[in-house]
């Protein structure tokens, strides 16, 4: 018999009958319905997004929702995120007002422009102080974080410097108000300077933390001399002048070393390089005020050195203007305003004591530049505020505008 012949024995027939019966059962409608339901459930489970999964299936779902709510809260506008850098804006507006006042006395310009800027600076200072005070009361941890930050902490000195600028602003109108502001502002500025410099000595910092913002606590001492001397605090003014000049020169070496031999300053902080203008300009103004009038001879040359150094730094920074103009908006743009206003005020004083068309022209050009830059920075800040870009924590992965 051939091997390919079909097996027709009784056992084979029984097996075929059993297989046919089994196939009939498996393909019956009653058997197919549960199988289809199971397959449909399995397919739906695969297609269902993770967010639609039942809460009981993920024990970490409540934690995820809490983290999402916390993230949204951090990105929403809040007094927690009110930046201490806003005190620098007060310096810019008040400094511009004092520069206009000095130019008005030298060139015969109307004094109304300077007084307008100074009045706005006084109201702005009160608003910024109130908002940051609210932040300190509601979120003391956020204020402590600001103060211990290697960059943002230096902006606290701008609060004390603002009082000293307002003292100088009030002097022609009310001597008792000017003296009260100076008596309160000078110790506050000194205490903030002491706290910040002590922090530099006791906490661990790296060279990347060294930015021109560090000049602010030092420049406050020069402002104390400028505002205090006309009120009769000449001796204290000379002491503050010494603190400002010595520590400014020490920091100048550190900052230049960092700029020359380390990585570039982070993009949001690059406008702060203009702060390098402030110490020499304020040192020149302070020296002229403390000397009590025109200074000639060797002593006059000592003061002129500060102004010459200011002009050199201004020329050095002028080369950086194309790079600075390409930067996006940041609150650090207010770093342009006060140093350039200090340069304009120093130029007006120098022009008033030296008969020179070059000195006159330089003073007028720097005053016009300071005015335009301050208005531009104020306008861009207002636009960012209306767009809701201020007073928020940075988005995940975004850069902080320190």
């Amino acid at each position: 018999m051939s091997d390919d012949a079909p097996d027709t024995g009784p056992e084979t027939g029984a097996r075929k009958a059993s297989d046919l019966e089994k196939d009939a059962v498996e393909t019956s409608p009653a058997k197919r319905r549960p199988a289809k339901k199971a397959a449909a459930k399995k397919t739906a489970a695969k297609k269902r997004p993770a967010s639609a999964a039942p809460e009981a299936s993920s024990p970490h779902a409540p934690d995820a929702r809490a983290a999402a709510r916390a993230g949204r809260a951090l990105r929403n506008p809040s007094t927690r995120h009110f930046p201490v850098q806003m005190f620098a804006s007060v310096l810019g507006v008040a400094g511009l007002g004092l520069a206009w006042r000095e130019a008005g006395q030298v060139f015969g310009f109307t004094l109304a422009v300077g007084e307008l800027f100074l009045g706005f600076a006084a109201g702005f200072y009160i608003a910024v102080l109130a908002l940051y005070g609210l932040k300190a009361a509601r979120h003391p941890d956020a204020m402590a974080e600001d103060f211990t930050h290697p960059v943002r902490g230096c902006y606290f000195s701008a609060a004390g410097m603002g009082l000293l600028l307002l003292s100088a602003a009030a002097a022609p109108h009310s001597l008792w108000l000017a003296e009260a502001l100076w008596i309160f502002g000078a110790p506050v500025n000194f205490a903030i300077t002491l706290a910040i410099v002590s922090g530099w000595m006791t906490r661990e910092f790296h060279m990347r933390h060294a930015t021109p913002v560090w000049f602010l606590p030092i420049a406050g001492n020069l402002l104390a001399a400028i505002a205090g001397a006309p009120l009769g605090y000449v001796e204290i003014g000379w002491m503050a002048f010494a603190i400002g000049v010595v520590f400014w020169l020490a920091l100048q070496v550190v900052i230049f070393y960092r700029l020359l031999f380390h990585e570039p300053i982070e993009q949001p902080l690059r406008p702060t390089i203009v702060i390098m203008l402030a110490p020499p300009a304020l040192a020149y103004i302070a020296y002229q005020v403390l000397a009590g009038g025109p200074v000639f001879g060797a002593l006059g040359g000592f003061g002129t050195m500060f102004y010459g150094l200011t002009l050199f730094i201004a020329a050095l920074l002028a080369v950086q203007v194309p790079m600075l103009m390409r930067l996006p908006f940041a609150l650090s743009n207010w770093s342009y305003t006060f140093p350039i206003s200090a340069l304009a005020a120093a130029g007006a004083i120098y022009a008033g004591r030296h008969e020179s068309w070059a000195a006159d022209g330089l003073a007028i050009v720097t005053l016009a530049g300071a005015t335009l830059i301050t208005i531009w920075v104020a306008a861009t800040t207002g636009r960012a505020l209306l767009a809701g870009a201020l007073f928020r924590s940075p988005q995940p992965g975004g850069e902080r505008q320190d």
Side-chain angles (χ1 to χ4, degrees):
M1 182 181 291
S2 174
D3 291 338
D4 295 329
D7 189 358
T8 56
E11 293 181 1
T12 302
R15 282 198 301 272
K16 286 183 177 179
S18 175
D19 291 341
L20 289 172
E21 185 176 313
K22 183 177 179 181
D23 292 340
V25 171
E26 288 180 351
T27 56
S28 64
K31 184 72 175 177
R32 284 198 302 268
R33 279 194 295 269
K36 288 182 179 179
K37 288 182 179 179
K41 287 183 179 180
K42 188 174 181 180
T43 303
K46 288 182 179 179
K47 293 182 178 179
R48 182 186 299 127
S51 60
E55 296 181 5
S57 63
S58 176
H60 301 292
D63 293 339
R65 289 199 306 274
R69 284 196 300 268
R72 287 194 299 271
L74 285 175
R75 292 191 294 271
N76 288 336
S78 168
T79 53
R80 169 180 284 276
H81 312 309
F82 186 79
V84 68
Q85 297 96 309
M86 289 302 295
F87 283 108
S89 60
V90 178
L91 300 187
V93 178
L96 181 62
L98 292 174
W100 268 97
R101 177 186 285 176
E102 190 66 39
Q105 295 172 353
V106 173
F107 300 112
F109 297 159
T110 176
L111 297 179
V113 177
E115 301 308 312
L116 179 65
F117 281 120
L118 290 172
F120 180 78
F124 196 40
Y125 182 83
I126 294 172
V128 172
L129 188 64
L131 285 171
Y132 200 85
L134 191 62
K135 171 180 178 175
R138 290 183 174 180
H139 311 285
D141 59 318
M143 186 194 71
E145 181 183 350
D146 283 343
F147 193 79
T148 56
H149 192 276
V151 176
R152 295 199 302 274
C154 295
Y155 283 101
F156 278 90
S157 60
M161 294 168 67
L163 289 172
L164 296 173
L165 285 172
L166 294 180
S167 171
H173 307 286
S174 174
L175 282 177
W176 72 264
L177 178 59
E179 188 168 7
L181 289 170
W182 190 90
I183 289 174
F184 182 71
V188 166
N189 179 79
F190 180 77
I192 293 174
T193 302
L194 197 62
I196 291 174
V197 175
S198 297
W200 292 342
M201 298 171 63
T202 56
R203 294 197 301 273
E204 181 179 357
F205 289 105
H206 301 280
M207 187 56 70
R208 67 177 180 274
H209 296 143
T211 67
V213 180
W214 285 18
F215 285 126
L216 287 179
I218 306 308
N221 293 278
L222 298 172
L223 270 183
I226 294 171
L231 300 175
Y233 298 98
V234 178
E235 293 296 317
I236 298 176
W238 280 113
M239 296 178 189
F241 175 81
I243 296 171
V245 169
V246 170
F247 278 89
W248 155 50
L249 294 175
L251 279 179
Q252 189 73 55
V253 175
V254 175
I255 299 301
F256 260 100
Y257 179 85
R258 185 254 193 273
L259 293 175
L260 293 176
F261 299 109
H262 285 260
E263 67 275 7
I265 296 177
E266 294 82 355
Q267 182 172 290
L269 286 174
R270 286 179 190 172
T272 63
I273 63 173
V274 182
I275 297 178
M276 290 192 296
L277 269 177
L282 293 176
Y284 172 73
I285 298 171
Y287 183 78
Q288 298 296 333
V289 171
L290 289 168
V295 182
F296 302 100
L299 293 178
F302 183 72
T304 304
M305 288 192 304
F306 292 129
Y307 186 61
L309 183 57
T310 306
L311 295 180
F312 173 76
I313 294 177
L316 196 62
L317 293 173
V319 181
Q320 309 297 320
V321 169
M323 178 272 293
L324 295 174
M325 293 299 294
R326 291 193 297 268
L327 295 176
F329 169 79
L331 281 178
S332 56
N333 286 4
W334 281 103
S335 302
Y336 299 142
T337 58
F338 178 67
I340 298 177
S341 295
L343 171 63
I349 292 175
Y350 185 85
R353 298 184 179 183
H354 298 81
E355 293 292 335
S356 168
W357 65 266
D360 293 347
L362 187 59
I364 294 172
V365 167
T366 53
L367 180 64
T371 304
L372 293 176
I373 289 172
T374 301
I375 294 174
W376 169 70
V377 174
T380 53
T381 303
R383 187 162 58 245
L385 178 61
L386 293 176
L390 297 183
F391 313 151
R392 297 171 182 263
S393 66
Q395 296 287 342
E399 290 184 283
R400 174 128 189 164
Q401 297 175 350
D402 291 320

